[in-house]
Amino acid sequence: MAVLCGAARRPDCERMAHEARLTLWRSGASCSNVDQGESSVVEQEAELHPAVLAAARRGDPQAFTEVLMHHDRQLRLLAFRLLGDRQQMEDALQDAAIRAFRALPRFDGRSALGTWLHRIVYTTCVDHLRRRSAQAVPASPAAVQDMPDPASDPLDRLIAWESLAAALDQLPPDQRAALLLIDQEGYDYQTAGEIIGVPAGTVSSRVSNARATVRRLLGNSQRVGDAP
Amino acid sequence: MSAERDLKMGRALASIPLPELSEGFYSRLGERLEQASPAAARPARRRARVLRIGIAAAAVAAVAAVVAFAVLPALRGPETATAAEMLASMNAAAGNAQVVRITITEQRALHHIGATPSASPGGTARPRPVTVDEQLTLSTAGDLRYTSVRELVDASQTLVRTHGLETYDARAHEAMSHGTTEPVDASDAGPEPLSPYGHQPVMVSIERPSWGTRVYSTYLLANFRALSNSLRALLAEEDPSTPVELVTYLGRPAWRAELQETLPAAGGAGAVRVTWTVTVDKETGLLVASELEPVSSHDRLPGIARSFRVTRLEVDPDLPAGWQRIDTAGADMVGIFDLGTRFGTPETVAARAWPTLVLVPQEVPTGYRLADVATRDYRGMKRSPGDQTKYVVLQRRHPQKEVSVRTGIDASTQRVQLRYRRGFSAFVVSIRPLGTGGGQEGGGAGALGTQDVVLTGGYLKDARARVWISPYFGEGPTLVTSSDRSKITITGDLTRQELLDIADSFTAVGDTDKPLPEGYGQ
């Protein structure tokens, strides 16, 4: 990945480089670890060039955008699963980005940057949820209608993920977040606890409860992991 | 990879689709980051930061022993500003925007569907989910277009879809409306069925300079207008240092504030404190969402929308020429209502309306400009001897013409109205003869924020006046007073102080020395 920052670079070159990265990012080329849940977010940390982070911490907006793009899919995943609505996901991500940008100079590196960003996105989403009188809106087909269906048999796959999404939406947001962070994103209990703001033991119990609830809701009609 | 991970669950979770970000997400974010970068720090931000640092220092002192996360600095809550900063921003809002289009899409449950397939075997009708679409386009000139599509059950228990379309052409002062109704299964027509018109006429009326059209008589938009008009006034009632949030709504920077209002409790015993959580688009100053709590208070005050959410906001959208009118070329029938409204200058209107005088404020909030002055017969379409209101129906395909011409407008019934505009906001000064109805003088009696004052300047010096700002009553902030011959109402997007400043600054246009007709105003 190209390094974004460079003190002597001309603004128009920066803009062109930025647009090129946007194009790459939109095409999915910049998100390498998105394969079906077995990769870990921790593995991505090494890819971000230290110079980009340094520039972002100095207050370079473009460098910070680069940082966000690097973590885009995981942050988007957490926000969408918690809020259940694309527009609200985007609003929360914008708010979280501004908060993180302002706080980045004080980021001391004791936790991983991804953990730190997850924590900010999580708390921002919780703020958004508190403002809503209802719980998170289910991830309905309408909410994701513009997404490609990755299934070999679209109908079967649609039924599978819809059932699971409906079960996920039945979970309280704190359990939902714990389940996503541990089982989908691959964090350990300690790190997930830093993100959610609870001890590791609490994460463990929340994940256990969440797994049990999801399996119970799916019932005999479909076992988790049997989806095509 | 964590040993605590359930890989099977992880794979299943990963199968759930995840939406991409919309086009332009990072461009919009980039603009906001540029504004938030240290180089662009503004005095307002510095003040907010000082506040946050103060809060953080207190928090750290209290919990320092237990907090060890490196993430703490970013977790002090949303970006904040103060009520005073939000008010100042709204005072200068509208910016360069000329037109906005807001869309409200709601899912509702439709009950009481009779003999339809949705009725359950037990005879109890199941609720049917229906979508209600409303779209309102506004210009800073006062033009308006409103469309609505909704499903409901008609008198024959048939599920029908109604399409409503109303427009207001501010330059021509003409309001137009048209609507169609069809069985739900009959058509997949879009939100604006311009053809065929069916047998319902397109109605055209010359509007008085109040709020544009009867659009605002609809439940949702009446609430929208009243609360929109009240936002600045409610903000001004707050402690200026009250924190408000800077958030993102529909991808745009927005203010979010909790505004307090005290209302009389049910039965008139005591009071109840309610909170409006409002979200206001920062660039345009438009209300885009509101939530009222507690719900129990709302239940005691029917007719108030508990929540309101704009689902799409477009600033300066591409619009066809004439968007603020209905094309009548294909209409079977056009009904024209002339309510006797006549526009002019303060001097020409005063000459027509005497003995009602035109009262022109010399002090208006910065940015407001006089948009319209007009006079009209307050009785509108009521037929009475001496009334020269015209009622015309033109049937194009069946060339008949009905014309009802009334003669001799009674001077004692003339109402004068002045409308001022600023961006998408407006306020109206209405002056009508004593003894004529249609005012709001009793409207604020139930509002605890009601204040009785004596005016201290201008033509109405020493007159008693009543002020209230509750969005529950009428059209929002209102001042009512009277002179020797007229009732005067000021209402619209004004704070309490602005209402008083306007009322204290009137000059009279018209013949003030001429004796009033005998029995006038009684």
Side-chain angles (χ1 to χ4, degrees):
Chain A
M1 185 177 293
V3 178
L4 176 66
C5 58
R9 247 193 307 177
R10 288 167 46 198
D12 54 341
C13 292
E14 280 190 342
R15 182 182 57 78
M16 291 170 65
H18 184 63
E19 291 301 320
R21 275 190 299 276
L22 280 175
T23 305
L24 271 175
W25 170 79
R26 287 186 186 117
S27 70
S30 62
C31 297
S32 56
N33 291 330
V34 293
D35 59 304
Q36 302 305 305
E38 291 194 28
S39 63
S40 166
V41 290
V42 180
E43 296 163 15
Q44 293 190 30
E45 292 291 339
E47 291 186 13
L48 189 63
H49 197 291
V52 176
L53 179 57
R57 295 183 68 170
R58 287 196 302 270
D60 181 335
Q62 289 195 355
F64 184 69
T65 301
E66 186 86 3
V67 171
L68 289 177
M69 288 178 175
H70 187 74
H71 295 276
D72 165 76
R73 188 178 186 281
Q74 281 69 37
L75 300 180
R76 199 157 30 98
L77 178 77
L78 183 61
F80 184 71
R81 294 287 185 265
L82 286 172
L83 298 170
D85 176 85
R86 177 177 167 173
Q87 182 62 60
Q88 292 190 44
M89 171 193 78
E90 291 197 0
D91 288 352
L93 288 175
Q94 290 252 346
D95 287 346
I98 298 295
R99 289 163 72 170
F101 184 59
R102 292 189 186 284
L104 191 57
R106 300 188 295 277
F107 172 62
D108 60 10
R110 279 188 287 173
S111 67
L113 179 63
T115 306
W116 185 78
L117 288 171
H118 271 74
R119 170 76 169 138
I120 295 171
V121 168
Y122 175 75
T123 55
T124 305
C125 289
V126 170
D127 286 346
H128 278 244
L129 282 171
R130 285 193 184 120
R131 291 191 203 109
R132 288 172 12 185
S133 52
Q135 289 293 311
V137 178
S140 64
V144 292
Q145 60 188 355
D146 53 350
M147 288 178 260
D149 183 355
S152 53
D153 181 341
L155 182 59
D156 289 346
R157 190 53 171 257
L158 190 68
I159 292 170
W161 74 254
E162 278 193 318
S163 301
L164 183 58
L168 200 61
D169 287 329
Q170 298 298 310
L171 299 176
D174 53 359
Q175 286 189 24
R176 204 181 319 158
L179 187 69
L180 292 166
L181 292 171
I182 298 298
D183 284 349
Q184 184 166 0
E185 300 215 34
Y187 281 113
D188 57 32
Y189 290 159
Q190 183 65 39
T191 308
E194 289 182 16
I195 292 172
I196 303 174
V198 296
T202 305
V203 175
S204 173
S205 65
R206 285 181 182 176
V207 169
S208 295
N209 289 336
R211 288 171 183 157
T213 303
V214 168
R215 286 192 161 91
R216 178 173 55 79
L217 290 172
L218 290 175
N220 295 328
S221 60
Q222 180 185 326
R223 286 163 38 217
V224 171
D226 290 346
Chain B
M1 186 185 303
S2 166
E4 295 145 350
R5 190 180 191 189
D6 181 334
L7 282 176
K8 188 181 285 187
M9 180 70 82
R11 276 195 298 271
L13 291 170
S15 73
I16 305 175
L18 179 66
E20 296 294 333
L21 295 168
S22 61
E23 193 76 17
F25 174 89
Y26 275 102
S27 299
R28 293 193 300 274
L29 178 61
E31 291 173 9
R32 296 188 65 189
L33 291 174
E34 290 285 353
Q35 293 173 357
S37 68
R42 296 159 295 173
R45 287 295 316 144
R46 285 198 295 273
R47 284 198 298 274
R49 190 170 297 122
V50 167
L51 176 64
R52 286 206 309 279
I53 289 171
I55 294 170
V60 166
V63 299
V66 293
V67 174
F69 294 140
V71 295
L72 185 62
L75 304 179
R76 293 174 191 137
E79 189 180 4
T80 59
T82 65
E85 288 166 352
M86 179 177 173
L87 181 58
S89 172
M90 291 187 68
N91 287 341
N96 297 321
Q98 299 297 309
V99 180
V100 291
R101 180 162 60 193
I102 64 175
T103 304
I104 304 163
T105 302
E106 291 183 333
Q107 298 286 337
R108 296 178 187 168
L110 187 61
H111 296 271
H112 310 304
I113 301 175
T116 69
S118 64
S120 68
T124 304
R126 293 199 308 267
R128 174 194 167 104
V130 296
T131 300
V132 177
D133 272 309
E134 297 183 86
Q135 193 171 76
L136 181 66
T137 308
L138 299 167
S139 80
T140 53
D143 299 317
L144 175 151
R145 184 181 190 88
Y146 170 74
T147 62
S148 68
V149 183
R150 64 187 69 207
E151 293 177 355
L152 47 86
V153 180
D154 70 4
S156 65
Q157 293 295 294
T158 302
L159 189 62
V160 297
R161 182 180 295 120
T162 65
H163 300 257
L165 171 59
E166 302 197 29
T167 62
Y168 180 64
D169 182 340
R171 178 174 292 182
H173 308 294
E174 285 186 356
M176 308 175 77
S177 62
H178 181 249
T180 59
T181 302
E182 64 197 5
V184 162
D185 296 331
S187 165
D188 291 323
E192 294 189 20
L194 294 177
S195 179
Y197 281 83
H199 298 293
Q200 300 189 44
V202 174
M203 298 299 186
V204 183
S205 60
I206 309 298
E207 279 290 324
R208 61 198 173 97
S210 55
W211 295 103
T213 74
R214 58 181 180 169
V215 162
Y216 290 115
S217 65
T218 63
Y219 169 72
L220 192 66
L221 291 185
N223 281 240
F224 168 69
R225 178 188 57 186
L227 185 53
S228 295
N229 283 347
S230 304
L231 285 176
R232 291 192 314 112
L234 289 170
L235 268 174
E237 305 278 312
E238 296 280 344
D239 182 329
S241 64
T242 300
V244 300
E245 295 176 30
L246 288 163
V247 299
T248 308
Y249 189 86
L250 299 175
R252 299 167 56 84
W255 302 97
R256 179 171 283 125
E258 292 186 353
L259 303 176
Q260 308 293 325
E261 186 182 9
T262 304
L263 296 164
V272 60
R273 192 88 162 155
V274 298
T275 300
W276 296 92
T277 301
V278 296
T279 307
V280 176
D281 184 68
K282 195 174 176 184
E283 178 192 352
T284 62
L286 282 174
L287 175 69
V288 286
S290 71
E291 190 83 21
L292 174 64
E293 296 292 346
V295 178
S296 57
S297 301
H298 158 256
D299 290 341
R300 295 176 195 147
L301 293 159
I304 300 296
R306 190 176 70 83
S307 66
F308 168 89
R309 271 184 85 85
V310 170
T311 49
R312 190 176 184 199
L313 172 62
E314 300 165 87
V315 178
D316 291 328
D318 289 331
L319 294 170
W323 62 269
Q324 70 276 46
R325 300 185 64 83
I326 298 175
D327 182 2
T328 59
D332 279 345
M333 189 185 297
V334 178
I336 300 174
F337 296 82
D338 183 346
L339 304 182
T341 303
R342 295 295 179 268
F343 289 80
T345 65
E347 289 74 22
T348 60
V349 167
R352 189 184 308 126
W354 191 92
T356 300
L357 303 173
V358 178
L359 300 181
V360 181
Q362 302 304 300
E363 296 282 342
V364 296
T366 303
Y368 271 111
R369 60 180 175 75
L370 179 61
D372 302 304
V373 188
T375 182
R376 70 167 294 205
D377 180 346
Y378 86 96
R379 291 172 302 185
M381 289 299 294
K382 184 177 178 182
R383 291 170 184 263
S384 62
D387 190 336
Q388 69 173 18
T389 299
K390 292 186 293 185
Y391 174 57
V392 182
V393 173
L394 302 176
Q395 293 181 303
R396 294 186 177 216
R397 297 184 183 176
H398 306 284
Q400 304 169 19
K401 182 184 291 185
E402 278 187 35
V403 180
S404 174
V405 179
R406 304 171 190 183
T407 58
I409 293 177
D410 184 350
S412 68
T413 68
Q414 286 299 289
R415 175 194 298 191
V416 170
Q417 288 179 301
L418 302 89
R419 176 167 46 195
Y420 289 77
R421 289 194 179 281
R422 178 175 70 180
F424 300 105
S425 298
F427 74 85
V428 172
V429 178
S430 181
I431 307 146
R432 64 187 187 284
L434 291 172
T436 59
Q440 297 189 65
E441 59 265 38
L448 290 184
T450 299
Q451 177 185 17
D452 290 323
V453 298
V454 175
L455 301 181
T456 58
Y459 178 77
L460 298 176
K461 187 174 185 295
D462 297 328
R464 296 176 61 84
R466 171 166 287 184
V467 186
W468 66 89
I469 61 168
S470 171
Y472 277 112
F473 300 96
E475 292 157 340
T478 300
L479 181 147
V480 176
T481 184
S482 58
S483 69
D484 61 329
R485 67 185 73 194
S486 300
K487 280 279 186 185
I488 299 100
T489 304
I490 311 166
T491 187
D493 182 0
L494 296 166
T495 66
R496 188 186 299 268
Q497 189 57 51
E498 288 168 349
L499 282 165
L500 292 170
D501 290 345
I502 290 168
D504 282 337
S505 72
F506 280 123
T507 58
V509 179
D511 193 340
T512 56
D513 297 329
K514 188 175 172 180
L516 292 171
E518 190 172 349
Y520 178 82
Q522 295 177 357

